[in-house]
Amino acid sequence: MAHIAVERNRRRQMNEHLRVLRSLTPCFYIKRGDQASIIGGVIEFIKELHQVLQSLESNKRRRKSVSPSPGPSPRRQVVVADHGLFGFENNAGEVGASCNSSVADVEAKISGSNVLLKIISRRIPGQLSKMISVLEGLSFEVLHLNVSSMDDTVLYSFVVKIGLECQLSLEELAFEVQQSFCSQVYLCQ
């Protein structure tokens, strides 16, 4: 009888811990309510937080190592994993593109019929509404948005639905979002 009570207590504690994990994790990371999905979603969320932490630490090191200059030098780098229209699905691997500059780092990945879009930048007033306008103008519908910030750095995580009229590649999407930052700061070419 003691063994049954111990096991019941263990399951109750496990369920309580899973409820806490689920409440601390944004809902789009957890697809279903079973234990494996909750734990998998929490792992993905922690990985993303770890990436943000690394980026913030890297920015902090860069700021300490670079002496103040009249302004940051513009740079633009585009890395594309796959060229193709959003309408086509690639099962061979993860499809993604990124566009980086001194103003913002933009990453776009296909997830089913949606696009996961992550942007890390310094805080710019009005930038969120500008990005949403750009996405809607490009025939995307914002399904989910998560904003995380620390000091003057912000991480925007979007899940956007691809509209029927959209004919952009991931590279073009990343570049267009990148340009929404550059047009406000006037640093990119």
Side-chain angles (χ1 to χ4, degrees):
M1 192 60 119
H3 173 71
I4 293 172
V6 168
E7 179 62 21
R8 195 175 291 148
N9 186 39
R10 186 196 65 77
R11 276 187 272 137
R12 184 183 50 74
Q13 286 180 333
M14 180 66 85
N15 288 333
E16 181 59 32
H17 292 313
L18 285 168
R19 271 193 292 279
V20 171
L21 283 174
R22 187 173 191 166
S23 70
L24 294 173
T25 306
C27 63
F28 68 91
Y29 285 95
I30 301 172
K31 308 258 188 290
R32 296 183 310 265
D34 62 288
Q35 293 178 353
S37 295
I38 293 170
I39 292 170
V42 170
I43 289 169
E44 289 302 312
F45 182 57
I46 290 171
K47 284 180 182 178
E48 183 173 311
L49 290 176
H50 185 68
Q51 288 175 343
V52 171
L53 179 62
Q54 286 178 332
S55 174
L56 291 172
E57 288 173 346
S58 173
N59 287 343
K60 186 177 178 180
R61 282 192 300 274
R62 267 189 288 182
R63 286 188 186 132
K64 285 184 178 179
S65 67
V66 175
S67 60
S69 62
S73 61
R75 67 178 171 88
R76 190 178 84 208
Q77 172 187 10
V78 178
V79 179
V80 182
D82 183 63
H83 298 280
L85 298 179
F86 282 142
F88 300 101
E89 207 170 308
N90 185 344
N91 296 327
E94 194 169 80
V95 178
S98 65
C99 187
N100 303 317
S101 77
S102 58
V103 180
D105 294 338
V106 180
E107 179 183 289
K109 292 181 184 175
I110 290 182
S111 175
S113 62
N114 298 327
V115 174
L116 305 176
L117 189 61
K118 294 180 186 175
I119 303 107
I120 297 177
S121 74
R122 64 182 179 82
R123 191 183 310 263
I124 302 171
Q127 185 60 43
L128 180 59
S129 60
K130 173 122 179 165
M131 281 189 299
I132 291 172
S133 295
V134 166
L135 291 170
E136 289 175 346
L138 296 171
S139 298
F140 291 95
E141 178 184 343
V142 177
L143 299 176
H144 183 81
L145 167 63
N146 187 30
V147 180
S148 304
S149 66
M150 176 178 270
D151 297 327
D152 68 338
T153 303
V154 181
L155 167 67
Y156 301 101
S157 298
F158 288 90
V159 176
V160 293
K161 181 179 180 181
I162 304 165
L164 295 175
E165 305 84 31
C166 182
Q167 292 296 310
L168 291 177
S169 68
L170 286 176
E171 177 184 21
E172 292 166 333
L173 172 62
F175 182 74
E176 290 295 328
V177 172
Q178 175 73 44
Q179 289 305 298
S180 76
F181 282 87
C182 296
S183 65
Q184 282 192 306
V185 183
Y186 308 107
L187 292 177
C188 298
Q189 296 293 345

